[in-house]
Amino acid sequence: MKKVLLVNPPEMTQGVNLTIFPGPSIGLLWLVSYLRQYGFVPHFVDGWEIGWSGIEDKIINFQPDIVGVTAISALRHKAFKVAEIAKRINPNIVVVMGGIHATIMWKQVLENYPSIDIVVRGEGEVSLLEIAQGKPLNEIDGISYRNNGQIICNKDRELIHNLDDIPLPAWDLNNFSVLASVNDAKEGEIINGIDVSKELVAPIISSRGCIGKCNFCSTWVTWKYSRCRSPENIVDELEYLYNKYNIKHFKFLDDAFSMDRNITMKFCDELEKRKMRIAFAAQTRGDLIDQELLERLYSVGHYILLIGVESGSQKILDIMRKNIDLNKLKENILMAKRIGFKINELLIVGNIGETIDTINETVEFVKQTEPDTTSVGHGLMLFPGTSVYQHAKKVGLINDDFWLSEIPYMMYTYEHSEAMLHSFAHALYNRKRLPNSKPMVILENQRFFVRSITNKLSKAIGIKKKRKKGIKGYYPR
């Protein structure tokens, strides 16, 4: 039976300030558990914890036949580096890459990175299993690979309809002590009888996909359509972590936690039935909540509600294809606040059509809804598979060759400079309207524009910006 090693690459911030949950790759832990039920004994290493030298040592000592690695677009080069290390140690290792970047850019990956042998497109459990079982590659759906110098792309794989068919993630391979680094609760904060400031925070995924097709998001490319685990299955996982590792504090990483109202309500019933006292945070869309649902969730320990507001301008929301009414969104946020939720509004500046006026509309929205916190993207990242990316290609801002560069990502700067985007974000953080004219915005936010000019001059004359040296292991937010 083939030996399989799954790797979550290290240095995942890649020198940039990305908001990434610094914990285990649940997707890889799911792959481990799926392979286990067919007799395989796969190993998993988390580069966040052991660094590059640890990964190299693991490959040397374990001597895997297959190395699987995951990649998102901004962090693709970390995955490529894992592949290169594996091939340097043993050229006969079969390197399999999955994740959103490989799913969308499979052809470019195989054409330009010889260390990658096979790309798994989309959902990976069954495809990786069949690779490990030695099934002929031309008979495996959902993969792309090389054959005698030719790149072959097999037909898409049918998705696993019932997510309960996948065993719970292989949590036994995770080092839970590192989860303490993601807890940003206030000292002494008591939720559902739990001092959440002293608890580890475990990430949970209860669904795949999203009901939306926003112009900046590529989730639908991987998952095609939305699917939820059953309430019993979700609570089984919480109960396992609760009983075995004494974890009572969770963060759901779903794009839209409450997208199936019936399942969400039954989830609350199941928690109550098993007498589980937990605290958790979750993200959802502002149109997927109502008073009864929120009151039920709050009663079982849901205390932080992250809402994908994106913009306080109906014009921008329509361009984003959010398909949501701004007035209803405001009404629901205020309702959640009255119930007792801590609200974190997730905002993006710089989408197509953004102006000073639309930013000021968003400032007013934030002031009216008074969230406990706001998380603001300092611009809109361009990623393959999104309609914004296609628009940026059409206007000549970017092309697919960009992903062969060492630059992690590009912002949408066709309409506004990065300095202006920082000014927009600064206004939202401070809940302060911008002046109505562009020159006045520049004058009021001089430091962003001076910094931009300085960085461009430094780059032109070859001065590299000094970065703080990261420690091996998990990086703080």
Side-chain angles (χ1 to χ4, degrees), residues 136-352:
L137 296 184
N138 65 337
E139 297 178 12
I140 301 176
D141 292 344
I143 69 167
S144 302
Y145 60 98
R146 294 187 207 85
N147 183 28
N148 295 324
Q150 297 293 315
I151 294 176
I152 309 298
C153 183
N154 294 352
K155 69 177 183 179
D156 289 345
R157 175 169 294 283
E158 189 173 322
L159 300 181
I160 299 171
H161 179 68
N162 184 1
L163 295 181
D164 289 4
D165 290 342
I166 307 172
L168 299 183
W171 285 110
D172 57 290
L173 299 184
N174 179 63
N175 178 5
F176 282 92
S177 64
V178 299
L179 294 180
S181 69
V182 305
N183 193 339
D184 54 5
K186 294 180 181 178
E187 186 175 354
E189 188 172 5
I190 307 299
I191 304 295
N192 208 15
I194 301 164
D195 186 344
V196 292
S197 66
K198 296 180 179 178
E199 298 290 333
L200 304 178
V201 185
I204 300 291
I205 296 176
S206 67
S207 63
R208 290 182 176 179
C210 181
I211 64 168
K213 285 192 176 181
C214 302
N215 73 346
F216 55 84
C217 182
S218 57
T219 292
W220 66 273
V221 179
T222 299
W223 302 125
K224 308 298 183 187
Y225 58 91
S226 59
R227 293 158 291 157
C228 297
R229 296 162 61 187
S230 70
E232 296 79 9
N233 185 262
I234 300 166
V235 179
D236 282 347
E237 183 174 3
L238 299 180
E239 190 172 47
Y240 170 78
L241 294 170
Y242 185 97
N243 291 333
K244 189 170 181 64
Y245 301 103
N246 196 33
I247 294 179
K248 305 168 188 147
H249 195 190
F250 302 92
K251 182 175 183 179
F252 284 85
L253 304 184
D254 306 272
D255 291 307
F257 174 70
S258 59
M259 63 183 170
D260 188 313
R261 189 182 189 278
N262 185 48
I263 286 178
T264 306
M265 291 293 280
K266 288 182 178 179
F267 163 77
C268 297
D269 294 341
E270 193 67 23
L271 280 176
E272 203 167 66
K273 176 182 173 183
R274 302 193 201 186
K275 297 181 169 57
M276 288 186 63
R277 295 176 68 86
I278 65 170
F280 62 96
Q283 173 182 328
T284 194
R285 285 173 55 103
D287 58 348
L288 296 178
I289 51 179
D290 57 67
Q291 184 162 340
E292 182 186 19
L293 179 65
L294 288 175
E295 288 176 346
R296 194 74 183 97
L297 283 165
Y298 191 73
S299 73
V300 296
H302 186 185
Y303 75 107
I304 295 179
L305 183 61
L306 298 93
I307 301 284
V309 172
E310 323 305 358
S311 174
S313 165
Q314 189 66 59
K315 167 193 165 186
I316 298 300
L317 292 178
D318 292 344
I319 291 172
M320 288 179 170
R321 301 205 308 255
K322 286 290 289 186
N323 193 27
I324 194 168
D325 179 75
L326 192 62
N327 292 325
K328 185 63 176 177
L329 178 59
K330 176 183 173 182
E331 178 185 320
N332 285 348
I333 291 174
L334 292 174
M335 176 177 59
K337 284 176 62 67
R338 288 194 298 270
I339 290 170
F341 282 93
K342 293 173 65 175
I343 303 297
N344 182 356
E345 291 185 0
L346 310 179
L347 303 167
I348 299 173
V349 302
N351 209 304
I352 299 168

Side-chain angles (χ1 to χ4, degrees), residues 51-207:
W52 291 111
S53 60
I55 287 177
E56 190 163 350
D57 290 343
K58 181 66 178 182
I59 294 172
I60 291 170
N61 296 325
F62 181 53
Q63 299 180 13
D65 301 297
I66 297 170
V67 168
V69 63
T70 185
I72 61 175
S73 294
L75 312 176
R76 62 200 180 280
H77 289 293
K78 301 307 175 184
F80 296 147
K81 184 174 178 180
V82 171
E84 290 162 3
I85 290 172
K87 287 293 191 181
R88 187 181 72 239
I89 293 170
N90 180 2
N92 294 320
I93 290 175
V94 175
V95 177
V96 180
M97 177 176 280
I100 186 65
H101 185 73
T103 293
I104 298 171
M105 303 299 290
W106 56 269
K107 187 175 182 182
Q108 185 185 77
V109 167
L110 290 171
E111 284 178 342
N112 293 277
Y113 299 95
S115 55
I116 307 296
D117 297 303
I118 303 171
V119 164
V120 171
R121 308 188 315 274
E123 199 163 64
E125 283 82 5
V126 180
S127 297
L128 181 60
L129 171 66
E130 293 180 353
I131 292 168
Q133 289 174 330
K135 188 173 182 178
L137 296 184
N138 65 337
E139 297 178 12
I140 301 176
D141 292 344
I143 69 167
S144 302
Y145 60 98
R146 294 187 207 85
N147 183 28
N148 295 324
Q150 297 293 315
I151 294 176
I152 309 298
C153 183
N154 294 352
K155 69 177 183 179
D156 289 345
R157 175 169 294 283
E158 189 173 322
L159 300 181
I160 299 171
H161 179 68
N162 184 1
L163 295 181
D164 289 4
D165 290 342
I166 307 172
L168 299 183
W171 285 110
D172 57 290
L173 299 184
N174 179 63
N175 178 5
F176 282 92
S177 64
V178 299
L179 294 180
S181 69
V182 305
N183 193 339
D184 54 5
K186 294 180 181 178
E187 186 175 354
E189 188 172 5
I190 307 299
I191 304 295
N192 208 15
I194 301 164
D195 186 344
V196 292
S197 66
K198 296 180 179 178
E199 298 290 333
L200 304 178
V201 185
I204 300 291
I205 296 176
S206 67
S207 63

